[in-house]
Structures are given as structure tokens and as C-alpha cells.
Amino acid sequence: MTMRLPIATFTVLVLATATALSAHAQSTMDYAQAKQRADADEASLHALTSRAMRDAQARVLDDAIARCAAPDADTSPFVVVAELDAAGKVVRTWRDGGTALATCVQAQIAGRTLPAPPRAPFLTSFELSFTP
């Protein structure tokens, strides 16, 4: 017995499968891949959009550091990569650096909102290094 699906049903099934495969591909992205994608996404921004994104990142980082800083914190350099949805909300993060400060800052960045990016998902990175 052969089952024939209406073309609209078939199209919906194909789109659902493609969406699921795309989501799975993103879910398996590691830090290095996320950072590479963030660098490319950031490089594609218009100068004014890039400045607005950096300014918003600075505000988020100022708040995160204020919440996470401790007098004896290990201030080794670290990077947090954030995936933004269409509204600019951070929906996923990756981190390079294992200090308590890095972990806390990553947790503070998660769920925050930056300017809406030109496309979603959009990856951006927060690179931190401290000087005495």
C-alpha cells in the first residue's frame, strides 16, 4: 500500500526536518566553532551597528564584573561567546577560561539582552583581560 501525502504536508515535514537538523548542528557547536562564528558575525556588522553592540556589551560586562568581582579573584584572561536570538537575547553561551570569575561572568551574561542583531542566530564574543 502506498501512502500519498498532499504537497503542503510534505513541504511542512521537509521544513520541520531541516529545522531540526539545523538546531542539532548548532547544539553540537563547540567553543572554537562558536568563537570563529562570532568573529565572522561581528566582522559583518556595519560600523554604527558594531559600535552599538560594543557599547551594549560594555554595559553588560560592567554589571557582570560588579556582581562577580572579588578582591582575590583570579584575573586570568577569558572569553565568553554568546548566541543572540532575533530580539538580541542571549540564548546560549560558551566559555574559554575556567576561573571562578569567568564562570560567574558567563552566568551573568546568559539571558541578558543586547541590541537586536541583523540576523539570528548571531554570535558575539566578550573577550576579557585585566591589567594591574
Side-chain angles (χ1 to χ4, degrees):
M1 172 187 249
T2 303
M3 186 168 128
R4 294 184 183 252
L5 296 174
I7 191 71
T9 302
F10 178 74
T11 302
V12 168
L13 290 173
V14 169
L15 290 173
T17 301
T19 300
L21 289 174
S22 174
H24 176 63
Q26 283 184 344
S27 70
T28 61
M29 191 181 316
D30 65 13
Y31 167 80
Q33 293 166 322
K35 179 64 169 99
Q36 183 177 22
R37 170 84 182 273
D39 290 346
D41 282 355
E42 291 169 341
S44 74
L45 292 176
H46 181 275
L48 291 175
T49 305
S50 179
R51 181 179 177 117
M53 183 68 73
R54 282 192 315 270
D55 290 348
Q57 284 178 304
R59 289 188 298 274
V60 168
L61 278 178
D62 286 347
D63 183 57
I65 295 298
R67 293 172 185 263
C68 297
D72 60 344
D74 180 345
T75 56
S76 298
F78 64 92
V79 179
V80 175
V81 176
E83 178 184 327
L84 308 180
D85 68 10
K89 182 177 181 183
V90 175
V91 295
R92 184 166 179 206
T93 60
W94 297 260
R95 183 185 72 249
D96 181 33
T99 65
L101 180 60
T103 302
C104 181
V105 168
Q106 179 185 20
Q108 293 298 316
I109 290 171
R112 297 295 297 267
T113 301
L114 297 169
R119 66 190 164 281
F122 185 90
L123 277 66
T124 189
S125 62
F126 296 76
E127 301 184 34
L128 288 93
S129 60
F130 303 90
T131 54

